[in-house]
Amino acid sequence: MNFNDAMVVITGILCFLVGILMIPMIDAYILAHFGFNLPVALIGVVDLLLIIGIIYIHTSIVLYNQKRKNKSITDGFTNIFKSEESVREEEQ
C-alpha cells in the first residue's frame, strides 16, 4: 500500500466521521456558544461543506505527490539519456 492508497483510506474514514459523528457535535457547539439549535438542514449543509473541504485537501495532496513522482521519474530518464549521450560522445 503506497501513500496514495493510504490517503484514500484515511479520507474515507474522515468523511465517515464528519458525515455521521459531527452532526451532533455541530449542533452542541452552536447551542453552547449561541444558545439556540440550528435547523437540521443547516447542520447538513455545514457537514457537507466539511466533507467537501476534506475531499479538496485529499485531492491536492494526491496531485502534489503525483507531480513530485512524475518529476522524479522525468529527471531519472533525463539523467539516463544524458549519460548515454556523453558516453557516445567520448567513444567518437
Side-chain angles (χ1 to χ4, degrees):
M1 181 186 305
N2 61 14
F3 181 76
N4 291 339
D5 296 336
M7 285 302 298
V8 169
V9 170
I10 290 170
T11 304
I13 292 169
L14 285 175
C15 285
F16 171 76
L17 290 175
V18 168
I20 302 299
L21 301 177
M22 288 294 289
I23 291 173
M25 292 178 71
I26 293 168
D27 190 35
Y29 179 82
I30 296 298
L31 181 63
H33 286 292
F34 300 110
F36 60 91
N37 288 327
L38 286 177
V40 176
L42 191 56
I43 293 173
V45 169
V46 171
D47 197 41
L48 184 63
L49 291 175
L50 290 172
I51 291 172
I52 290 171
I54 290 171
I55 292 171
Y56 174 77
I57 290 169
H58 162 72
T59 305
S60 63
I61 289 171
V62 169
L63 289 176
Y64 171 76
N65 285 329
Q66 286 177 349
K67 286 179 186 177
R68 188 177 54 132
K69 187 190 302 183
N70 288 341
K71 184 179 178 184
S72 67
I73 291 171
T74 304
D75 291 343
F77 280 130
T78 303
N79 290 336
I80 290 170
F81 292 125
K82 279 185 179 178
S83 64
E84 287 181 6
E85 290 174 0
S86 63
V87 170
R88 288 180 189 165
E89 290 174 1
E90 291 175 2
E91 289 176 358
Q92 292 175 354

